[in-house]
């Protein structure tokens, strides 16, 4: 049990729609990261937030955006969904600044299917 | 560019066999961190170990052991006397010094047969 919860667990959308995925981190965890995991692949870094500010971004287009809230929750928004966005989206949190390279606590993910 | 390679896509062993999962990494950083995570069918990645680049001591934790060799840029993971509950996908990862993001390998699916 990592203490990181994600909702919903599964989601089906059609191409062009918008989606919001949610994550609740462990209390006190100041850093949250989002990863995309395509079938049979390792997780790919989308972006990271530290104390509610974006602190790094991977090679994802601007239609992927996020927010981190003071209550240790966060969300990932994806606009104009494409078929290739179908994947497992993982939220991960850590206690301190990303500079400490601490271990991450992962949620079980949201499985997004785009039809 | 940083990269993690896990050449073994899938390994099947019979219970009680020992198994080693390979991880080779590339980085230009002198300070870096390496990790192993386990992903059971439930989906969440579970932390197993963190190692920094200055600590080349091998580590043993129960049936798990890790062999870190900077000379070959490898960080291999051995499970001794494997059990069915060890069946999962295992990921090796490296942190990027600039963005602190994790760079994951493609994972090794381990199947332990009873």
């Amino acid at each position: 049990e990592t203490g990181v919860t994600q909702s919903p667990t599964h989601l089906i959308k059609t191409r062009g729609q918008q989606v919001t995925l949610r994550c609740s981190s462990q209390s006190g965890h100041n850093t949250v990261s989002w990863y995309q995991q395509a079938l049979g692949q390792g997780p790919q870094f989308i972006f990271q937030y530290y104390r509610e500010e974006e602190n790094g971004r991977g090679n994802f287009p601007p239609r992927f955006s996020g927010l981190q809230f003071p209550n240790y929750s966060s969300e990932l928004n994806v606009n104009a969904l494409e078929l290739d966005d179908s994947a497992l989206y993982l939220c991960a949190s850590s206690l301190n600044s990303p500079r400490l390279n601490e271990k991450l606590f992962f949620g079980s993910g949201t499985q997004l299917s785009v039809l | 560019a940083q990269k993690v390679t896990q050449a073994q896509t899938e390994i099947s062993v019979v219970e009680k066999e020992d198994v080693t999962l390979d991880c080779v990494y590339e980085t230009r950083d002198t300070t870096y961190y390496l990790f192993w995570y386990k992903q059971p069918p439930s989906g969440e990645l579970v932390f197993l170990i963190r190692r920094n680049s200055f600590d080349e001591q091998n580590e043993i934790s129960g049936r798990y052991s890790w062999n870190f060799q900077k000379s070959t840029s490898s960080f291999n993971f051995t499970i001794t006397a494997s059990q069915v509950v060890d069946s999962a996908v295992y990921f090796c990862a490296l942190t990027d010094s600039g963005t602190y993001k994790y760079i994951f390998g493609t994972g090794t699916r381990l199947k332990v047969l009873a």
Side-chain angles (χ1 to χ4, degrees):
Chain A
E1 183 65 42
T2 66
V4 178
T5 56
Q6 292 186 242
S7 62
T9 54
H10 294 83
L11 199 52
I12 299 175
K13 291 286 190 177
T14 56
R15 194 170 46 182
Q17 285 188 311
Q18 179 267 340
V19 68
T20 297
L21 310 182
R22 294 184 169 82
C23 172
S24 178
S25 306
Q26 283 194 31
S27 180
H29 279 205
N30 291 301
T31 298
V32 66
S33 307
W34 285 89
Y35 286 80
Q36 180 196 66
Q37 186 179 16
L39 192 63
Q41 300 297 312
Q44 299 290 315
F45 176 75
I46 303 175
F47 45 58
Q48 181 178 80
Y49 281 81
Y50 174 59
R51 291 186 171 174
E52 301 161 50
E53 303 234 345
E54 189 176 293
N55 189 56
R57 190 176 182 91
N59 295 326
F60 282 81
R63 58 190 186 83
F64 285 78
S65 63
L67 286 171
Q68 184 186 24
F69 302 103
N71 65 351
Y72 307 108
S73 67
S74 63
E75 60 183 41
L76 163 65
N77 299 290
V78 187
N79 294 322
L81 283 167
E82 300 178 0
L83 298 180
D84 284 349
D85 295 335
S86 296
L88 179 68
Y89 288 84
L90 295 163
C91 168
S93 71
S94 61
L95 182 59
N96 296 301
S97 164
R99 293 177 179 272
L100 296 181
N101 294 281
E102 296 176 319
K103 66 180 182 182
L104 298 180
F105 294 81
F106 282 85
S108 296
T110 294
Q111 185 65 53
L112 173 65
S113 298
V114 182
L115 306 177
Chain B
Q2 276 113 336
K3 185 179 177 182
V4 175
T5 301
Q6 294 180 257
Q8 303 152 309
T9 305
E10 185 169 313
I11 301 175
S12 291
V13 298
V14 177
E15 208 171 18
K16 297 184 184 176
E17 282 186 14
D18 298 348
V19 58
T20 295
L21 309 182
D22 297 333
C23 173
V24 174
Y25 62 92
E26 294 175 32
T27 180
R28 278 178 272 183
D29 295 335
T30 53
T31 301
Y32 52 89
Y33 292 80
L34 295 162
F35 299 78
W36 275 94
Y37 281 82
K38 173 182 179 180
Q39 187 175 39
S42 60
E44 67 185 47
L45 279 79
V46 178
F47 168 81
L48 295 177
I49 190 170
R50 169 182 179 263
R51 175 65 83 232
N52 74 51
S53 52
F54 296 107
D55 182 3
E56 284 195 74
Q57 278 192 328
N58 292 330
E59 177 150 342
I60 299 174
S61 176
R63 296 184 297 106
Y64 296 170
S65 62
W66 290 268
N67 184 350
F68 176 31
Q69 291 197 339
K70 286 178 75 171
S71 61
T72 55
S73 297
S74 65
F75 186 42
N76 297 336
F77 172 32
T78 297
I79 301 175
T80 303
S82 59
Q83 299 177 1
V84 172
V85 293
D86 295 327
S87 297
V89 182
Y90 290 86
F91 289 98
C92 181
L94 167 72
T95 49
D96 177 282
S97 63
T99 62
Y100 309 107
K101 68 180 181 182
Y102 276 48
I103 298 160
F104 285 88
T106 50
T108 297
R109 180 176 298 278
L110 174 64
K111 293 185 178 179
V112 182
L113 308 172

